[in-house]
Amino acid sequence: DVQLTQSPSSVSASVGDRVTITCRASQDIGTWLAWYQQNPGKGPKLLVHSASTLQSGVPSRFTGSGSGTDFTLTITSLQPEDFATYYCQQGYGFSITFGQGTRLEIK
Amino acid sequence: QVQLQESGPGLLKPSETLSLTCHVSDDSINTYYWGWVRQPPGRALEWVASIYRAGNTYYNPSIKSRVTISIDTSKRQFSLRLTSVTAADSAVYYCARKTATAFFDVWGQGTQVTVSS
């Protein structure tokens, strides 16, 4: 199975800052990667799929990039509603895995 | 926008069988993949199983021996069955729509399942 390793596990930032979260796959997964945002007590929300395609309705301050084994999610000009937990997910092959999550906290 | 709604028992005893159902609000049940994802308290998301129509099922290898996913398009619903549950199966269970590109674009609100004697 493909393993995903996210870093950092948590990060503190201020409104207006830029934050980058990384996700490393244990093998080449092409661009079969998505990013989700999850707020406490809520289901995940798809932000980016196919590594860099912004899901409809997601603000342009979210940017996904990467291919192969290394991927990043960048959030520019952080807004109060962006403080949440972020997960990467790979869809290569028939088995799906998620990263362990990155908690974005207000500094 | 399609809506998903999970239903099932909130509390089970160890060794019992968990049965969950997800109702889909429109006919897209015929054209998409569907899946279950769970999240133990304070932990990460874990994919459980996916299905496309009746003949294509996919399972997380770690629990494959205990899981069955099924679909009833006439009722616009799909279901999850997990046998021999233990406390480790306690989690919020989400049903979700899976695109052909292997990502989950619509999610239910989730249903809490607790396994306790």
Side-chain angles (χ1 to χ4, degrees):
Chain A
D1 291 351
V2 178
Q3 305 302 315
L4 297 178
T5 302
Q6 280 184 241
S7 61
S9 57
S10 66
V11 58
S12 296
S14 301
V15 173
D17 284 353
R18 170 190 172 115
V19 168
T20 297
I21 300 168
T22 65
C23 181
R24 175 163 289 178
S26 60
Q27 68 183 70
D28 189 338
I29 59 170
T31 57
W32 291 87
L33 191 101
W35 292 96
Y36 299 84
Q37 177 192 66
Q38 187 179 33
N39 285 295
K42 303 291 186 181
K45 174 186 176 183
L46 179 63
L47 300 175
V48 172
H49 67 84
S50 305
S52 61
T53 301
L54 205 62
Q55 179 70 353
S56 176
V58 174
S60 59
R61 62 180 180 273
F62 291 90
T63 304
S65 65
S67 66
T69 60
D70 294 309
F71 302 86
T72 61
L73 175 70
T74 299
I75 314 169
T76 57
S77 189
L78 278 169
Q79 299 301 300
E81 60 268 28
D82 299 336
F83 293 93
T85 299
Y86 293 84
Y87 293 94
C88 57
Q89 174 242 314
Q90 67 82 21
Y92 183 80
F94 296 115
S95 191
I96 292 169
T97 49
F98 289 87
Q100 80 274 23
T102 295
R103 184 176 179 183
L104 175 54
E105 301 173 317
I106 299 178
K107 185 181 290 183
Chain B
Q1 169 76 324
V2 64
Q3 294 184 325
L4 310 180
Q5 180 64 60
E6 304 93 346
S7 61
L11 180 64
L12 291 92
K13 291 181 167 51
S15 80
E16 291 186 333
T17 296
L18 170 66
S19 294
L20 296 174
T21 296
C22 181
H23 180 74
V24 180
S25 64
D26 67 16
D27 286 338
S28 65
I29 193 163
N30 294 302
T31 56
Y32 280 86
Y33 290 74
W34 304 91
W36 290 95
V37 175
R38 68 182 183 178
Q39 186 171 35
R43 297 182 61 183
L45 301 164
E46 178 185 35
W47 170 68
V48 177
S50 298
I51 190 167
Y52 178 68
R53 296 186 179 175
N56 300 280
T57 57
Y58 310 91
Y59 298 106
N60 185 322
S62 69
I63 53 175
K64 182 177 181 178
S65 63
R66 298 192 292 126
V67 176
T68 303
I69 189 171
S70 59
I71 192 166
D72 186 337
T73 55
S74 66
K75 294 183 179 179
R76 292 184 183 172
Q77 64 186 39
F78 62 101
S79 300
L80 181 75
R81 184 171 180 267
L82 179 64
T83 62
S84 303
V85 297
T86 70
D89 296 310
S90 296
V92 175
Y93 284 74
Y94 295 99
C95 62
R97 188 175 77 176
K98 179 173 166 290
T99 70
T101 49
F103 310 119
F104 298 101
D105 64 341
V106 180
W107 294 69
Q109 64 184 22
T111 186
Q112 176 70 53
V113 173
T114 302
V115 180
S116 174
S117 56

